[in-house]
Amino acid sequence: MEYTPSDMRLLSRFAALLLTLLAAGVTQSAEAATVVNRIAATVNGRPITSSEVRARLAPYFRELMLLYPRQGPRFNSELVAAKKAVLNDLIERELVLSDFTTKGYSIKDDQVDEEINRRILVQYNGDRADFLDNLRKSGMNYSEYRDSVRKEITVSAMRGMRYERGIPPTPDEIREEYKNTSSEYRDILKDRITYSKIFIPAVDPEDPMMTPEERYKFAIRLREDIEAGRISFADAARQHSRDAHAEEGGKWPSLRRDDLAVEFANVVFAAKPGQLVGPLLDPAGFTIVKVHGKQLASAPALSNPEVKQKVDDAVRRKKSERRYRQWVDRLRDKAVIRTFI
């Protein structure tokens, strides 16, 4: 079966429910589960809600669910690290906001809309309905999310006003920064990839006695056999895969990034050609992938005024990072911070 965004709906529902359990707590009845929107932390009395943490953590959580179907220590440690990083970012946001008088300082609505649209594009392949569905499951409404994004943009602007007005970057610094980061400015949805895939269903009508856990263990052993050279990927696909391209050795035609579910795309595009990935959690089973090649979309030229401004801002931000960190550390030392999750 093809691993598409619509296929991921089942996984998303499960992931959202489990994320709720992990990040905020759930009260359950026989009929429904209700998200409890607790206070995750306070900074000088300013609250950070658990729904903000869940909304920011959701993309990371979905990828971890894909990578570690059985969860376990690695899943837990990476989830804890991601959660800690998210909460720290939100605390830092409130520290900066509390140190500024924002009266008369405003962010335009179109700036907020642009940033939200960028996040939907990167995190949900532009699927606004999927974004809104996951936002609802996190316990945060759209108005609250807009307010959270507005705060982040405000902090970024405040940082620029205070620490990034120094000596302008030199042409050489701009060219070097563009050389190192140009891929960040391309249209990633135009990236293409070719891979082979083995799909092991969680429940196979031809072998109904095997449990999903046994099927997962079988997928692990199959990957080990491929890595050890005891069987080729193509032969393994022909013999064991229940995929539309099993007879072709599991090889799929070239696909664009936006043909794939976001989590799946992020994982396989991060892999190197020839690398095996998985078993990954598929909505109906487990998937092993062998990446063959990637064609990344071209980056816009540095002569593009918008790109040049972004590169200029990035250089200034890096040059001011040390002073900015010292300032935030001083704010943190003076602040009253309480965390509850």
Side-chain angles (χ1 to χ4, degrees):
M1 63 183 291
E2 184 178 353
Y3 206 100
T4 65
S6 61
D7 289 334
M8 287 294 293
R9 296 291 191 260
L10 180 61
L11 174 59
S12 296
R13 294 190 190 99
F14 172 69
L17 176 59
L18 188 53
L19 179 58
T20 298
L21 289 166
L22 289 167
V26 167
T27 58
Q28 285 193 313
S29 66
E31 297 179 355
T34 303
V35 177
V36 179
N37 191 19
R38 297 172 177 165
I39 300 299
T42 59
V43 180
N44 295 328
R46 300 162 69 108
I48 297 169
T49 65
S50 58
S51 62
E52 284 189 278
V53 177
R54 288 194 298 272
R56 290 275 292 269
L57 191 59
Y60 304 102
F61 183 83
R62 286 155 60 120
E63 285 189 35
L64 290 176
M65 284 294 298
L66 187 73
L67 285 165
Y68 309 110
R70 301 170 76 184
Q71 298 177 46
R74 181 76 181 272
F75 172 92
N76 292 330
S77 65
E78 293 198 22
L79 181 61
V80 168
K83 184 177 175 182
K84 182 178 180 180
V86 164
L87 187 58
N88 187 66
D89 285 346
L90 292 172
I91 288 172
E92 184 174 304
R93 181 195 72 185
E94 295 302 325
L95 285 169
V96 174
L97 286 173
S98 67
D99 194 59
F100 275 87
T101 301
T102 59
K103 185 177 180 181
Y105 189 86
S106 62
I107 298 295
K108 294 180 180 179
D109 286 343
D110 58 356
Q111 291 177 271
V112 181
D113 292 335
E114 181 181 348
E115 175 59 17
I116 291 174
N117 289 335
R118 185 194 69 80
R119 295 184 186 190
I120 293 173
L121 180 68
V122 173
Q123 298 174 358
Y124 297 92
N125 273 359
D127 189 337
R128 193 175 185 84
D130 193 24
F131 158 72
L132 292 173
D133 187 43
N134 279 274
L135 189 63
R136 177 183 59 80
K137 291 168 183 172
S138 76
M140 176 179 270
N141 62 43
Y142 186 70
S143 176
E144 291 168 334
Y145 184 79
R146 276 184 65 85
D147 184 58
S148 178
V149 173
R150 187 183 296 276
K151 286 182 178 180
E152 292 175 43
I153 297 174
T154 301
V155 167
S156 180
M158 288 174 173
R159 172 178 172 168
M161 290 170 60
R162 180 159 185 163
Y163 285 105
E164 295 168 18
R165 293 181 180 179
I167 301 174
T170 66
D172 285 344
E173 288 175 327
I174 289 177
R175 283 192 293 269
E176 183 65 19
E177 178 67 17
Y178 175 77
K179 177 182 176 183
N180 294 331
T181 64
S182 60
S183 62
E184 297 177 11
Y185 308 114
R186 70 181 195 278
D187 183 354
I188 64 171
L189 296 187
K190 293 181 180 178
D191 292 350
R192 303 190 71 91
I193 191 168
T194 54
Y195 59 77
S196 292
K197 171 181 163 184
I198 298 172
F199 171 65
I200 307 297
V203 178
D204 189 347
E206 296 182 11
D207 191 3
M209 299 304 293
M210 283 188 73
T211 66
E213 175 70 13
E214 290 171 331
R215 301 292 293 175
Y216 179 64
K217 290 178 180 179
F218 173 77
I220 292 175
R221 291 195 300 271
L222 188 59
R223 172 179 171 152
E224 292 172 349
D225 287 343
I226 294 169
E227 289 181 318
R230 290 187 285 270
I231 188 171
S232 69
F233 193 100
D235 286 342
R238 293 187 187 97
Q239 293 176 31
H240 303 291
S241 181
R242 298 295 182 268
D243 179 74
H245 296 273
E247 290 301 317
E248 293 86 48
K251 188 168 184 179
W252 279 68
S254 175
L255 294 170
R256 278 178 41 137
R257 180 186 282 263
D258 55 355
D259 291 328
L260 308 169
V262 179
E263 297 82 7
F264 182 74
N266 289 343
V267 169
V268 296
F269 271 98
K272 297 177 181 179
Q275 183 177 343
L276 287 180
V277 180
L280 305 174
L281 176 62
D282 187 284
F286 310 100
T287 299
I288 304 170
V289 178
K290 181 177 183 179
V291 175
H292 297 304
K294 295 176 285 188
Q295 294 178 310
L296 304 183
S298 300
L302 183 57
S303 57
N304 182 312
E306 184 178 345
V307 173
K308 188 172 183 179
Q309 184 59 55
K310 289 180 178 178
V311 175
D312 184 287
D313 291 344
V315 175
R316 291 173 185 264
R317 189 169 295 111
K318 288 181 179 179
K319 293 173 78 171
S320 68
E321 181 66 22
R322 183 168 174 270
R323 288 186 298 143
Y324 175 74
R325 281 290 128 213
Q326 290 174 339
W327 173 54
V328 171
D329 288 343
R330 288 196 300 270
L331 292 178
R332 192 182 291 270
D333 289 341
K334 294 186 296 182
V336 178
I337 301 171
R338 296 177 179 176
T339 57
F340 305 102
I341 62 172

